[in-house]
Amino acid sequence: ARRTASRERRAVTGDVAFFFYGTLQRAFDSAMTRRLAGKLRFEGDARVRGRLYALGEPSGCYPGLVLDPAAGWVHGGVYAPTPDFRVEDLAALDAWEDVCGEGPQAGEYVRTTTRAVTLTGERAVQLYVCARAPAGGAPLIVDGRFDAWLVARGWAAWPGLSVSPPS
């Protein structure tokens, strides 16, 4: 049974680590970060090329990433699935990130893969990116660090989330 469960998890996630750049990082506390504790293992800091936006409003915002190989760096972390990460956890994570449908019915994000730069080189990662370009007026987070941007501006994370100041 353990071998079948492992094969099923690998089929869904491909055993590809996640790159989190926003509210799923270790600095944030939420129902989802608590659910994933012990199911995803932090493996280190990383970065990808793209444009990072603050979506929402000062009373509650969250980040949106648009991958762009010609843009600056977006900073985050790599989180690898442990044997306890299941298909149900991936489905809950996709729902949390509003991943659903395609075309006009698509959710706010899509899960895709790219290459992240880590301290030891490059690696394949899966991540959530904006399904559509952010609406005009969404602030660009120039330094690519969502947690630091929130703290520096005194903005709040999306309701139900808290953030620890970056170290």
Side-chain angles (χ1 to χ4, degrees), residues 8-162:
E8 180 180 64
R9 179 178 61 83
R10 199 172 10 259
V12 173
T13 67
D15 277 342
V16 175
F18 289 89
F19 174 79
F20 295 147
Y21 54 87
T23 60
L24 292 170
Q25 292 185 88
R26 295 178 307 158
F28 290 85
D29 178 47
S30 70
M32 185 54 66
T33 58
R34 288 188 297 275
R35 177 184 180 142
L36 296 175
K39 296 180 180 190
L40 294 177
R41 180 183 63 255
F42 178 72
E43 292 200 335
D45 295 327
R47 58 194 180 162
V48 299
R49 291 274 184 190
R51 294 184 313 278
L52 189 62
Y53 295 91
L55 307 175
E57 53 194 48
S59 63
C61 75
Y62 53 96
L65 172 62
V66 175
L67 292 175
D68 180 350
W73 292 110
V74 173
H75 300 269
V78 172
Y79 298 78
T82 70
D84 293 329
F85 187 78
R86 303 277 187 246
V87 173
E88 299 80 29
D89 298 311
L90 184 61
L93 191 51
D94 282 352
W96 178 269
E97 292 293 330
D98 192 25
V99 174
C100 60
E102 293 183 18
Q105 279 68 44
E108 191 165 7
Y109 292 91
V110 295
R111 182 164 35 93
T112 189
T113 58
T114 192
R115 307 280 306 164
V117 176
T118 68
L119 294 175
T120 58
E122 282 192 10
R123 71 180 293 173
V125 293
Q126 55 186 322
L127 70 166
Y128 295 92
V129 299
C130 293
R132 293 168 288 290
L140 178 66
I141 302 174
V142 178
D143 72 355
R145 298 178 189 274
F146 180 68
D147 55 350
W149 187 91
L150 277 180
V151 171
R153 279 155 189 76
W155 282 35
W158 193 248
L161 299 172
S162 61

